[in-house]
Amino acid sequence: MKNDKMKSQYRINEQIRVREVRIVGDEGSSVVPTRDALNMAREQGVDLVEISPNANPPVCRLIDYSKFLYQQKKRQKEMKAKQVKVEVKEIRFGPQTDEHDYQFKLKHAKEFLEEGNKVRAYVFFRGRSILFKEQGEVLLLRFANDLEEVGKVESMPSLEGKKMFLYLAPKKAGSAKKSQQARDREAAEAEAKEAKKAQQEKAPQTETASEMPANGGLFANAKISADALKKLTEEK
């Protein structure tokens, strides 16, 4: 079916009924009477194929028609392969997502964006968890902030029913430079890590329940990142 459709796109040989045509080839082009062009095709054992009917005069090639169709089909496949198909990948959170789950989903979102896909992250509020609407918004803002090197925000968090959505698009290749904010954050995290390591080496002991992070630890971290993102947006 596809070959029949492609065949109907081109006129060949006696189907070409204009007075003259332009013959193109490796040696250049020349305008000749259509009758002469048909004689040239017969002498060479090929076909006269009209490749540009709207030109004045129409443009033709002297080539075996089956070979011509094969070349056209191959070219279409190559063009289709080069086309980048952008998909929208979903990342789902709960309003009280723990740190481990957050980092796991952050990693996947980064991979999606680096592959050229868009990301639609959302927080799903089940039942009375809608009371944590602000917490969900801050979580999404932190998410956007942590992905600023590979993605850009298309729309800020917005509540639609029981879901709050955030849309991210991949940054263009070569534009994913680290911002000053990201560099400062990494430096602060590295310094804190070194300090904690030194403290553990100095006085190793089991962490007590009172020293464990509160249930809102992720929310507190998200709050800091969200405030930083807002500040960065205002500076821009």
Side-chain angles (χ1 to χ4, degrees):
M1 292 294 292
K2 288 184 178 180
N3 287 338
D4 292 340
K5 187 177 180 181
M6 186 175 288
K7 285 181 180 179
S8 65
Q9 293 179 356
Y10 305 98
R11 289 184 294 189
I12 63 171
N13 301 326
E14 283 74 15
Q15 294 176 352
I16 306 171
R17 298 177 180 177
V18 293
R19 181 177 297 178
E20 57 184 15
V21 295
R22 180 180 295 276
I23 304 295
V24 295
D26 296 335
E27 299 178 356
S29 66
S30 59
V31 177
V32 299
T34 303
R35 183 178 298 178
D36 293 348
L38 287 169
N39 290 333
M40 292 168 61
R42 293 190 189 97
E43 290 174 0
Q44 296 179 27
V46 294
D47 298 296
L48 179 67
V49 182
E50 185 182 60
I51 60 175
S52 183
N54 297 326
N56 187 21
V59 179
C60 298
R61 286 184 61 187
L62 297 173
I63 186 173
D64 180 84
Y65 191 42
S66 298
K67 182 179 179 181
F68 172 76
L69 291 177
Y70 172 77
Q71 290 177 348
Q72 293 299 106
K73 188 175 180 180
K74 184 179 179 182
R75 187 176 293 110
Q76 288 180 2
K77 283 185 176 180
E78 290 174 350
M79 290 177 64
K80 188 176 181 179
K82 289 179 180 178
Q83 291 178 347
V84 179
K85 186 178 180 180
V86 178
E87 296 182 6
V88 178
K89 303 290 186 177
E90 282 197 344
I91 300 290
R92 171 176 169 168
F93 292 103
Q96 294 178 310
T97 300
D98 61 45
E99 183 66 27
H100 176 76
D101 191 31
Y102 174 84
Q103 293 297 334
F104 178 78
K105 292 177 178 179
L106 180 69
K107 179 183 176 183
H108 279 286
K110 185 177 181 181
E111 291 174 353
F112 292 150
L113 291 168
E114 288 176 340
E115 291 171 358
N117 298 306
K118 292 187 176 183
V119 170
R120 177 171 61 189
Y122 69 93
V123 179
F124 178 68
F125 300 97
R126 188 188 302 274
R128 297 187 64 185
S129 66
I130 193 68
L131 298 173
F132 299 98
K133 182 178 68 173
E134 181 185 353
Q135 188 167 334
E137 180 181 5
V138 171
L139 177 62
L140 290 176
L141 288 172
R142 178 194 176 189
F143 190 65
N145 186 63
D146 290 343
L147 291 169
E148 64 178 347
E149 295 173 19
V150 293
K152 58 183 178 181
V153 177
E154 282 195 331
S155 65
M156 297 299 283
S158 60
L159 186 64
E160 298 178 20
K162 293 184 177 181
K163 295 180 181 179
M164 181 174 287
F165 291 94
L166 169 76
Y167 293 86
L168 297 167
K171 284 188 175 180
K172 292 182 180 180
S175 64
K177 293 182 179 179
K178 290 186 179 180
S179 65
Q180 184 61 46
Q181 180 190 359
R183 290 195 292 269
D184 291 344
R185 184 174 66 248
E186 288 181 356
E189 289 175 353
E191 186 177 344
K193 188 176 180 180
E194 288 297 324
K196 185 177 180 181
K197 183 179 179 182
Q199 186 177 4
Q200 288 176 344
E201 291 176 351
K202 202 171 184 180
Q205 59 182 6
T206 305
E207 194 173 32
T208 63
S210 61
E211 292 171 331
M212 293 291 286
N215 189 37
L218 177 59
F219 175 68
N221 291 336
K223 185 76 173 175
I224 294 171
S225 297
D227 291 342
L229 179 60
K230 289 181 178 179
K231 184 178 179 182
L232 180 63
T233 304
E234 290 172 358
E235 289 176 354
K236 289 181 177 179

